[in-house]
Amino acid sequence: MNSYFSRLLSINNFGSSCFVNLLLLILLLGLVGLSWIVNGLLVILGVITIIPVIILLIFKWWLKHNLVYGNCPVCNSKLTGFKNMKSYCLNCGETLESQNDEFHRNIPVSTVDVEIVDSYDNQTDESS
Ligand SMILES: [Zn+2]
């Protein structure tokens, strides 16, 4: 009695939606055949696994051709930046622009670069 009740319960758990799904699956198998469905699933699985690898390879290639490694022209610290883009030196904060795989200072044309010489030290050296 108890086993009959549990079997009845399991039949009731089967449900109508599961039965409809099973019927649709059988109908689909009858229409297109099992090999087409298996092949389709394999193709979808292959595409899902291959596309991220292809995107990763393309991104790696793009990075290789667009990254510039060099030194800061002001403080000579190592830098990494993108080609033809403005960047900042993380060490000294200088605005830099990468051209021809090198970093250049981004200064206006009318700016004159001046080196500061401390005159007080020169006077004390001459007097002594
Ligand atoms: Zn710097």
Side-chain angles (χ1 to χ4, degrees):
M1 183 76 181
N2 196 14
S3 66
Y4 175 73
F5 181 71
S6 66
R7 193 184 313 154
L8 193 65
L9 193 66
S10 69
I11 289 172
N12 279 341
N13 280 343
F14 192 66
S16 62
S17 63
C18 190
F19 180 72
V20 169
N21 284 340
L22 194 66
L23 197 68
L24 282 175
L25 184 70
I26 290 171
L27 197 68
L28 195 68
L29 283 177
L31 284 176
V32 292
L34 184 64
S35 65
W36 279 91
I37 291 177
V38 170
N39 286 341
L41 287 176
L42 286 177
V43 165
I44 289 172
L45 201 69
V47 165
I48 286 173
T49 53
I50 287 175
I51 281 180
V53 172
I54 290 172
I55 289 173
L56 189 74
L57 289 176
I58 289 173
F59 182 66
K60 237 176 129 177
W61 175 84
W62 182 84
L63 271 184
K64 186 179 173 186
H65 287 276
N66 285 302
L67 275 184
V68 176
Y69 299 99
N71 292 334
C72 174
V74 179
C75 67
N76 209 27
S77 66
K78 288 187 176 181
L79 290 175
T80 305
F82 289 106
K83 262 184 194 170
N84 301 323
M85 285 184 75
K86 287 182 182 177
S87 60
Y88 295 96
C89 174
L90 296 176
N91 194 30
C92 65
E94 181 69 33
T95 307
L96 303 170
E97 199 166 334
S98 57
Q99 294 168 341
N100 301 329
D101 294 339
E102 286 181 0
F103 287 101
H104 301 280
R105 288 179 72 186
N106 189 16
I107 52 174
V109 179
S110 59
T111 305
V112 177
D113 214 2
V114 179
E115 189 172 326
I116 298 173
V117 177
D118 195 0
S119 62
Y120 181 75
D121 287 341
N122 290 341
Q123 287 174 355
T124 53
D125 288 344
E126 290 170 5
S127 62
S128 59

